[in-house]
Amino acid sequence: MSTAVELQHYISGTWVQGDGGIITSVNPARPDETVAQGLHAGPADVERAMASAAASKQGWARTPAHERGAVLLRAAVIMEENAQLWGLELAREEGKTLAEGRGEVLRAAQIFRYYGNDGDREAGSVYASPRRGEKIFVTRKPLGVVGVVTPFNFPIAIPAWKIAPALTYGNAVVWKPASTVPLLAMRLTQALEQAGLPDGVLNLLIGPGSIGTALVEHPALDGLSFTGSTGVGRTLAAAAAGNGVPIQAEMGGKNAAIVLADADLELATEQVILGAFRSSGQKCTATSRLIVADAVADEFLAGLAATAQSLLVGDPTDPSTQMGPVISGVARESIQRGITTALDQGADLLIGGLPYEDTARVAGHFVAPTILELKGTAHADIWRDELFGPVLSVRRAASTQAAFDLANDSDFGLSAALFTQDVTIALKGMDELDVGILHVNSESAGADPHVPFGGAKKSGYGPKEQGQSAKEFYTHTTTVYLQGSHSSSLRGDSA
């Protein structure tokens, strides 16, 4: 058993104790094992962090883009050098498998590299003017102080894709991570500290959800980026709107995979398994609904159930493990209640569903990979409600259009996967599936840092994340009319 790490906050370039109560991070595979512990941040810490960010924002904004980027590139190297160790800590703290933990640290480094090189990309636009001797420029400026509130399920990658663009575009940041994964938040902050980020440009506050509320209500806040539950996101969005603060929010998902009759069934089986059960289904882009063409449903579901049944579920730090626990006992019980409700509402259980009985997995927060089939058009909450666990609900479709209609039968529109070898159907899916991300012949989860990420309908609010889309949130434009001093004509318009 490893020694528990002492949790600290990072304010104005200094690691400090909090002034709140005790906060403990535990291993979800062995909840009696403490990963990290300390005092959470309190109101005084919030005030100090916001004041520090406000005091540093102007100096950081004036720092040349290449210098800002160099800090991010050095931080990327530090993450890469520590990927093995931090990946192990991530597996212990969050429950991902060892391979996924290491991969997530490397993804965070990739994101920092992408934004670290932003100084070599365009920095504005020039437009033609209808007036002689004049040029019109559109430049971008940072928002100022940005609050970042991140979830537990990607404890270093999601913070990276918010913090990296916020910093590269010249903002100061106050970051509140999920209280269940504070150790990886410290590691990301340490990487930036070691990379030479100036004091006060990034401030880390570990603690309960009330800190996020305090951030969005603080008068020094200039913008808020949030990823988490729909309920919390809407609450923060309402508070931000009331204070005139722009917000970027990525919220729930109930993502569908569609397997049509012409699909490569072996490929579809592999990808649906990955989408539904990797990370124990705790991804906003996870496959939680499956729609299968009638013609291949029996064959496909039999193979899918057998493959899911064979997954090795256990200690995520064991290299042979294919699926670890969910984040907490509260999450496990909520998921089990959702399964029970689905069965009570008429769902057929194909695999899983029942709690584990062996000593090792009973002690941890494990949920068995579960597949439930919904027959006919009967109501089932599981088709619409996000369980955020390794549970897949299935319906059959008599036609391609029926499959698309079932996929769109959701308040959410984050991601979808379509399995077909017909390019015409793939193009039709691009037009008809109302989602922010569509994968054709690959799992519903997964996003690259150089392209937009975000959902449609109630899955997202505000500008998209990642790629150059991030610039739309972390900066605002200034349109500059530059008239030469020797112009012989007067401006004939006014606005």
Side-chain angles (χ1 to χ4, degrees), residues 208-467:
S210 58
I211 293 177
T213 303
L215 292 182
V216 78
E217 293 176 348
H218 199 283
L221 189 73
D222 298 306
L224 181 77
S225 183
F226 166 83
T227 296
S229 72
T230 300
V232 174
R234 289 178 178 175
T235 298
L236 293 177
N243 293 328
V245 172
I247 182 170
Q248 174 192 67
E250 290 300 333
M251 299 178 282
K254 192 67 180 174
N255 312 296
I258 302 168
V259 179
L260 298 179
D262 71 322
D264 179 334
L265 297 188
E266 183 178 352
L267 171 67
T269 297
E270 173 193 73
Q271 294 299 306
V272 170
I273 289 289
L274 292 173
F277 302 122
R278 191 153 54 180
S279 300
S280 303
Q282 298 175 125
K283 294 182 178 181
C284 55
T285 53
T287 304
S288 57
R289 297 184 298 151
L290 172 64
I291 300 146
V292 190
D294 278 334
V296 296
D298 288 341
E299 176 187 357
F300 183 75
L301 292 177
L304 187 75
T307 304
Q309 191 78 56
S310 70
L311 291 174
L312 297 176
V313 180
D315 182 354
T317 63
D318 183 336
S320 66
T321 294
Q322 294 172 293
M323 193 182 97
V326 296
I327 188 64
S328 68
V330 171
R332 180 192 60 208
E333 295 307 315
S334 175
I335 294 164
Q336 290 291 164
R337 283 196 302 272
I339 294 169
T340 299
T341 298
L343 294 172
D344 289 344
Q345 292 175 339
D348 291 340
L349 182 64
L350 301 187
I351 63 153
L354 300 176
Y356 285 109
E357 295 182 352
D358 60 285
T359 303
R361 287 182 291 197
V362 165
H365 304 318
F366 291 93
V367 176
T370 298
I371 302 177
L372 299 155
E373 184 172 2
L374 312 179
K375 297 293 183 65
T377 59
H379 167 79
D381 292 344
I382 198 169
W383 190 251
R384 295 182 177 276
D385 295 345
E386 186 179 29
L387 293 189
F388 219 65
V391 181
L392 181 65
S393 58
V394 183
R395 287 192 186 275
R396 302 184 185 212
S399 67
T400 297
Q401 189 59 56
F404 288 175
D405 291 343
L406 282 170
N408 284 330
D409 182 25
S410 174
D411 289 338
F412 299 113
L414 179 52
S415 182
L418 172 61
F419 295 89
T420 180
Q421 298 184 72
D422 188 328
V423 68
T424 302
I425 292 176
L427 291 170
K428 180 180 174 66
M430 289 169 60
D431 288 337
E432 295 204 8
L433 295 172
D434 193 8
V435 291
I437 304 163
L438 175 62
H439 293 263
V440 179
N441 295 322
S442 60
E443 61 167 307
S444 63
D448 288 312
H450 64 292
V451 292
F453 176 90
K457 298 193 280 191
K458 295 181 180 178
S459 288
Y461 183 90
K464 296 290 192 287
E465 298 191 275
Q466 300 204 72

Side-chain angles (χ1 to χ4, degrees), residues 44-361:
D45 296 314
V46 174
E47 290 299 324
R48 290 168 55 217
M50 292 300 291
S52 174
S56 67
K57 67 179 183 181
Q58 189 175 73
W60 182 243
R62 289 174 174 170
T63 301
H66 282 84
E67 290 184 27
R68 296 197 300 256
V71 174
L72 271 63
L73 293 173
R74 290 193 293 270
V77 172
I78 293 167
M79 291 180 221
E80 290 163 345
E81 292 173 345
N82 288 279
Q84 195 67 34
L85 174 59
W86 292 359
L88 174 61
E89 290 180 332
L90 195 158
R92 290 182 61 229
E93 182 175 58
E94 193 268 347
K96 276 190 178 73
T97 64
L98 198 57
E100 287 179 283
R102 180 176 181 275
E104 183 178 334
V105 177
L106 291 175
R107 172 52 64 93
Q110 180 190 16
I111 293 164
F112 267 68
R113 283 195 179 281
Y114 174 81
Y115 285 107
N117 287 309
D118 201 74
D120 294 327
R121 302 186 185 106
E122 68 176 52
S125 305
V126 181
Y127 290 80
S129 172
R131 290 162 294 278
R132 292 179 181 273
E134 183 180 72
K135 297 289 185 183
I136 303 175
F137 298 87
V138 177
T139 63
R140 289 189 173 272
K141 296 182 175 67
L143 293 181
V145 176
V146 173
V148 169
V149 179
T150 56
F152 76 85
N153 58 326
F154 285 90
I156 193 166
I158 288 179
W161 77 43
K162 295 178 183 293
I163 292 171
L167 294 179
T168 205
Y169 297 134
N171 298 279
V173 175
V174 179
W175 173 28
K176 180 242 169 309
S179 58
T180 48
V181 288
L183 177 54
L184 267 295
M186 287 180 58
R187 297 303 186 224
L188 177 56
T189 305
Q190 287 166 354
L192 282 163
E193 178 190 36
Q194 293 170 27
L197 187 70
D199 295 351
V201 175
L202 174 66
N203 301 272
L204 171 67
L205 299 174
I206 298 166
S210 58
I211 293 177
T213 303
L215 292 182
V216 78
E217 293 176 348
H218 199 283
L221 189 73
D222 298 306
L224 181 77
S225 183
F226 166 83
T227 296
S229 72
T230 300
V232 174
R234 289 178 178 175
T235 298
L236 293 177
N243 293 328
V245 172
I247 182 170
Q248 174 192 67
E250 290 300 333
M251 299 178 282
K254 192 67 180 174
N255 312 296
I258 302 168
V259 179
L260 298 179
D262 71 322
D264 179 334
L265 297 188
E266 183 178 352
L267 171 67
T269 297
E270 173 193 73
Q271 294 299 306
V272 170
I273 289 289
L274 292 173
F277 302 122
R278 191 153 54 180
S279 300
S280 303
Q282 298 175 125
K283 294 182 178 181
C284 55
T285 53
T287 304
S288 57
R289 297 184 298 151
L290 172 64
I291 300 146
V292 190
D294 278 334
V296 296
D298 288 341
E299 176 187 357
F300 183 75
L301 292 177
L304 187 75
T307 304
Q309 191 78 56
S310 70
L311 291 174
L312 297 176
V313 180
D315 182 354
T317 63
D318 183 336
S320 66
T321 294
Q322 294 172 293
M323 193 182 97
V326 296
I327 188 64
S328 68
V330 171
R332 180 192 60 208
E333 295 307 315
S334 175
I335 294 164
Q336 290 291 164
R337 283 196 302 272
I339 294 169
T340 299
T341 298
L343 294 172
D344 289 344
Q345 292 175 339
D348 291 340
L349 182 64
L350 301 187
I351 63 153
L354 300 176
Y356 285 109
E357 295 182 352
D358 60 285
T359 303
R361 287 182 291 197

Side-chain angles (χ1 to χ4, degrees), residues 3-10 15-19 21-26 34-41 93 177-187 190 204-207:
T3 304
V5 175
E6 180 187 12
L7 292 178
Q8 292 184 308
H9 314 274
Y10 190 67
W15 291 97
V16 297
Q17 299 287 341
D19 63 5
I22 294 176
I23 189 168
T24 303
S25 168
V26 302
T34 298
V35 175
Q37 187 174 62
L39 299 178
H40 69 68
E93 182 175 58
S179 58
T180 48
V181 288
L183 177 54
L184 267 295
M186 287 180 58
R187 297 303 186 224
Q190 287 166 354
L204 171 67
L205 299 174
I206 298 166

